[in-house]
mmCIF file of all heavy atoms in Angstrom:
data_model
loop_
_atom_site.group_PDB
_atom_site.id
_atom_site.type_symbol
_atom_site.label_atom_id
_atom_site.label_comp_id
_atom_site.label_asym_id
_atom_site.label_seq_id
_atom_site.Cartn_x
_atom_site.Cartn_y
_atom_site.Cartn_z
ATOM 1 N N ARG A 8 103.706 112.144 119.646
ATOM 2 C CA ARG A 8 104.945 111.495 119.968
ATOM 3 C C ARG A 8 104.846 109.965 119.797
ATOM 4 O O ARG A 8 105.741 109.359 119.219
ATOM 5 C CB ARG A 8 105.449 111.854 121.406
ATOM 6 C CG ARG A 8 106.710 111.223 121.809
ATOM 7 C CD ARG A 8 107.132 111.650 123.182
ATOM 8 N NE ARG A 8 108.207 110.867 123.704
ATOM 9 C CZ ARG A 8 109.482 110.811 123.294
ATOM 10 N NH1 ARG A 8 109.784 111.630 122.241
ATOM 11 N NH2 ARG A 8 110.390 110.055 123.827
ATOM 12 N N ILE A 9 103.812 109.429 120.284
ATOM 13 C CA ILE A 9 103.555 107.978 120.182
ATOM 14 C C ILE A 9 103.451 107.564 118.715
ATOM 15 O O ILE A 9 104.007 106.574 118.291
ATOM 16 C CB ILE A 9 102.370 107.530 121.014
ATOM 17 C CG1 ILE A 9 102.733 107.640 122.532
ATOM 18 C CG2 ILE A 9 101.832 106.140 120.671
ATOM 19 C CD1 ILE A 9 101.574 107.544 123.479
ATOM 20 N N GLY A 10 102.745 108.365 117.939
ATOM 21 C CA GLY A 10 102.600 108.059 116.463
ATOM 22 C C GLY A 10 103.868 108.143 115.796
ATOM 23 O O GLY A 10 104.190 107.247 114.926
ATOM 24 N N LEU A 11 104.740 109.108 116.093
ATOM 25 C CA LEU A 11 106.050 109.224 115.470
ATOM 26 C C LEU A 11 106.884 108.054 115.844
ATOM 27 O O LEU A 11 107.585 107.520 115.013
ATOM 28 C CB LEU A 11 106.691 110.601 115.874
ATOM 29 C CG LEU A 11 106.083 111.793 115.248
ATOM 30 C CD1 LEU A 11 106.674 113.064 115.865
ATOM 31 C CD2 LEU A 11 106.351 111.805 113.718
ATOM 32 N N LEU A 12 106.945 107.732 117.150
ATOM 33 C CA LEU A 12 107.755 106.585 117.598
ATOM 34 C C LEU A 12 107.333 105.287 116.931
ATOM 35 O O LEU A 12 108.199 104.479 116.528
ATOM 36 C CB LEU A 12 107.714 106.472 119.129
ATOM 37 C CG LEU A 12 108.516 107.428 119.918
ATOM 38 C CD1 LEU A 12 108.174 107.376 121.395
ATOM 39 C CD2 LEU A 12 110.021 107.203 119.717
ATOM 40 N N ARG A 13 106.066 105.117 116.799
ATOM 41 C CA ARG A 13 105.514 103.898 116.183
ATOM 42 C C ARG A 13 105.965 103.811 114.713
ATOM 43 O O ARG A 13 106.428 102.803 114.222
ATOM 44 C CB ARG A 13 103.990 103.854 116.292
ATOM 45 C CG ARG A 13 103.371 102.572 115.909
ATOM 46 C CD ARG A 13 101.825 102.634 116.061
ATOM 47 N NE ARG A 13 101.409 102.951 117.440
ATOM 48 C CZ ARG A 13 101.103 102.067 118.378
ATOM 49 N NH1 ARG A 13 101.168 100.755 118.072
ATOM 50 N NH2 ARG A 13 100.661 102.443 119.541
ATOM 51 N N ARG A 14 105.881 105.013 114.054
ATOM 52 C CA ARG A 14 106.278 105.032 112.671
ATOM 53 C C ARG A 14 107.807 104.749 112.498
ATOM 54 O O ARG A 14 108.235 104.022 111.568
ATOM 55 C CB ARG A 14 105.932 106.364 112.051
ATOM 56 C CG ARG A 14 106.261 106.428 110.548
ATOM 57 C CD ARG A 14 105.709 107.642 109.931
ATOM 58 N NE ARG A 14 106.046 107.617 108.511
ATOM 59 C CZ ARG A 14 105.630 108.465 107.636
ATOM 60 N NH1 ARG A 14 104.822 109.433 107.946
ATOM 61 N NH2 ARG A 14 106.067 108.339 106.429
ATOM 62 N N MET A 15 108.567 105.371 113.370
ATOM 63 C CA MET A 15 110.043 105.178 113.353
ATOM 64 C C MET A 15 110.412 103.712 113.637
ATOM 65 O O MET A 15 111.312 103.179 113.014
ATOM 66 C CB MET A 15 110.707 106.097 114.363
ATOM 67 C CG MET A 15 110.677 107.562 113.943
ATOM 68 S SD MET A 15 111.003 108.810 115.169
ATOM 69 C CE MET A 15 112.368 108.201 116.062
ATOM 70 N N ALA A 16 109.695 103.080 114.531
ATOM 71 C CA ALA A 16 109.932 101.657 114.860
ATOM 72 C C ALA A 16 109.636 100.807 113.644
ATOM 73 O O ALA A 16 110.466 99.905 113.278
ATOM 74 C CB ALA A 16 109.084 101.264 116.067
ATOM 75 N N ARG A 17 108.543 100.999 112.943
ATOM 76 C CA ARG A 17 108.205 100.288 111.752
ATOM 77 C C ARG A 17 109.198 100.449 110.667
ATOM 78 O O ARG A 17 109.606 99.478 109.961
ATOM 79 C CB ARG A 17 106.814 100.611 111.327
ATOM 80 C CG ARG A 17 105.710 100.136 112.203
ATOM 81 C CD ARG A 17 104.322 100.542 111.775
ATOM 82 N NE ARG A 17 103.327 100.111 112.627
ATOM 83 C CZ ARG A 17 102.207 100.828 112.938
ATOM 84 N NH1 ARG A 17 102.031 102.037 112.381
ATOM 85 N NH2 ARG A 17 101.336 100.345 113.776
ATOM 86 N N ILE A 18 109.610 101.662 110.423
ATOM 87 C CA ILE A 18 110.600 101.971 109.390
ATOM 88 C C ILE A 18 111.940 101.271 109.738
ATOM 89 O O ILE A 18 112.569 100.638 108.863
ATOM 90 C CB ILE A 18 110.837 103.467 109.206
ATOM 91 C CG1 ILE A 18 109.588 104.127 108.579
ATOM 92 C CG2 ILE A 18 112.087 103.832 108.431
ATOM 93 C CD1 ILE A 18 109.510 105.596 108.578
ATOM 94 N N ALA A 19 112.382 101.417 110.965
ATOM 95 C CA ALA A 19 113.633 100.765 111.356
ATOM 96 C C ALA A 19 113.565 99.233 111.153
ATOM 97 O O ALA A 19 114.531 98.623 110.728
ATOM 98 C CB ALA A 19 113.952 101.091 112.792
ATOM 99 N N GLU A 20 112.404 98.675 111.534
ATOM 100 C CA GLU A 20 112.236 97.213 111.387
ATOM 101 C C GLU A 20 112.122 96.744 110.008
ATOM 102 O O GLU A 20 112.780 95.794 109.568
ATOM 103 C CB GLU A 20 111.056 96.793 112.280
ATOM 104 C CG GLU A 20 110.864 95.324 112.418
ATOM 105 C CD GLU A 20 109.742 94.955 113.328
ATOM 106 O OE1 GLU A 20 109.151 95.881 113.995
ATOM 107 O OE2 GLU A 20 109.409 93.767 113.387
ATOM 108 N N HIS A 21 111.205 97.352 109.237
ATOM 109 C CA HIS A 21 110.853 96.777 107.958
ATOM 110 C C HIS A 21 111.650 97.397 106.734
ATOM 111 O O HIS A 21 111.818 96.687 105.742
ATOM 112 C CB HIS A 21 109.351 97.028 107.696
ATOM 113 C CG HIS A 21 108.531 96.335 108.742
ATOM 114 N ND1 HIS A 21 108.374 94.949 108.809
ATOM 115 C CD2 HIS A 21 107.752 96.835 109.735
ATOM 116 C CE1 HIS A 21 107.618 94.669 109.855
ATOM 117 N NE2 HIS A 21 107.189 95.737 110.407
ATOM 118 N N GLN A 22 112.033 98.629 106.823
ATOM 119 C CA GLN A 22 112.767 99.229 105.698
ATOM 120 C C GLN A 22 114.275 99.204 105.912
ATOM 121 O O GLN A 22 115.010 98.964 105.002
ATOM 122 C CB GLN A 22 112.220 100.601 105.388
ATOM 123 C CG GLN A 22 110.787 100.570 104.950
ATOM 124 C CD GLN A 22 110.157 101.968 104.745
ATOM 125 O OE1 GLN A 22 110.809 102.982 105.033
ATOM 126 N NE2 GLN A 22 108.942 101.986 104.274
ATOM 127 N N LEU A 23 114.695 99.544 107.090
ATOM 128 C CA LEU A 23 116.152 99.633 107.410
ATOM 129 C C LEU A 23 116.697 98.299 107.875
ATOM 130 O O LEU A 23 117.882 98.057 107.916
ATOM 131 C CB LEU A 23 116.420 100.698 108.473
ATOM 132 C CG LEU A 23 115.976 102.113 108.108
ATOM 133 C CD1 LEU A 23 116.246 103.044 109.258
ATOM 134 C CD2 LEU A 23 116.711 102.590 106.837
ATOM 135 N N HIS A 24 115.817 97.376 108.244
ATOM 136 C CA HIS A 24 116.149 96.073 108.847
ATOM 137 C C HIS A 24 117.199 96.202 109.952
ATOM 138 O O HIS A 24 118.150 95.474 110.085
ATOM 139 C CB HIS A 24 116.769 95.177 107.708
ATOM 140 C CG HIS A 24 115.835 95.078 106.536
ATOM 141 N ND1 HIS A 24 114.739 94.294 106.560
ATOM 142 C CD2 HIS A 24 115.914 95.672 105.285
ATOM 143 C CE1 HIS A 24 114.088 94.369 105.403
ATOM 144 N NE2 HIS A 24 114.764 95.219 104.609
ATOM 145 N N ASP A 25 116.894 97.205 110.792
ATOM 146 C CA ASP A 25 117.727 97.490 111.986
ATOM 147 C C ASP A 25 116.917 97.069 113.230
ATOM 148 O O ASP A 25 116.226 97.918 113.776
ATOM 149 C CB ASP A 25 118.055 99.020 112.013
ATOM 150 C CG ASP A 25 119.049 99.347 113.134
ATOM 151 O OD1 ASP A 25 119.210 98.618 114.068
ATOM 152 O OD2 ASP A 25 119.677 100.455 113.010
#
Side-chain angles (χ1 to χ4, degrees):
R8 177 175 169 71
I9 288 167
L11 288 170
L12 283 169
R13 193 180 300 267
R14 183 170 180 175
M15 290 164 42
R17 289 178 181 143
I18 289 169
E20 187 175 354
H21 300 291
Q22 294 175 356
L23 300 177
H24 306 286
D25 186 341

